[in-house]
Amino acid sequence: MTGHERYAPPRAELADPAEADALLAMRPRSVVWGVALWALSLAISLVSMLPFIDSLMADETLAMTAMIWAITLAVTAIDLWLLRCVWQRRNWARWATLALLALDLVATATTSVEELAPLAAALALAAAVLGVAAALLLLAGPSARWFNGAPPGTH
């Protein structure tokens, strides 16, 4: 190495964008369904929280209600960002989504059914079931191979 090469900027080989886009376009159906179910679970979860937040508005101060809404919106934004990352084949996002699902399941399991209206309880249960189904689809079979770099259709 000569002195001149030492000061050369670092080089990185760039992948062909068309090739990368083609791999993303070949998502397994299990990934498509897993992301769709996760998004549906998120939407149902938000709807199920509305009666709970409305009851807080009657019982708590405006600051407490605003804090609950801020936390809800922040978690929703994180969920949507993670879904986007999962869609873009980010393996770490798949595991982060699973961690959020585990937290959501713990929160759902520790919530007293008496605190919720029957419809809100049913919606929360439906969201939990859809979340588990989405996680199973994203963690097993073709999805796992796709996230680990194998092209679809390979074993």
Side-chain angles (χ1 to χ4, degrees), residues 30-151:
S30 56
V31 172
V32 174
W33 279 102
V35 168
L37 289 178
W38 185 263
L40 182 60
S41 170
L42 178 62
I44 291 172
S45 185
L46 286 173
V47 170
S48 75
M49 287 188 65
L50 291 177
F52 175 71
I53 291 175
D54 283 344
S55 70
L56 276 180
M57 291 175 74
D59 298 338
E60 301 294 335
T61 65
L62 182 61
M64 178 65 96
T65 303
M67 184 181 73
I68 297 290
W69 271 110
I71 291 169
T72 300
L73 293 176
V75 170
T76 301
I78 290 168
D79 265 329
L80 291 172
W81 176 68
L82 284 173
L83 276 175
R84 181 176 169 263
C85 291
V86 165
W87 191 253
Q88 294 175 337
R89 201 179 188 180
R90 306 288 195 271
N91 193 34
W92 61 267
R94 182 171 63 130
W95 294 104
T97 301
L98 182 64
L100 273 182
L101 172 65
L103 289 174
D104 185 42
L105 290 175
V106 168
T108 301
T110 58
T111 301
S112 174
V113 177
E114 291 83 31
E115 292 177 21
L116 299 175
L119 178 60
L123 288 173
L125 179 62
V129 169
L130 288 172
V132 169
L136 291 174
L137 285 169
L138 291 174
L139 290 174
S143 295
R145 288 189 293 278
W146 185 73
F147 278 105
N148 290 321

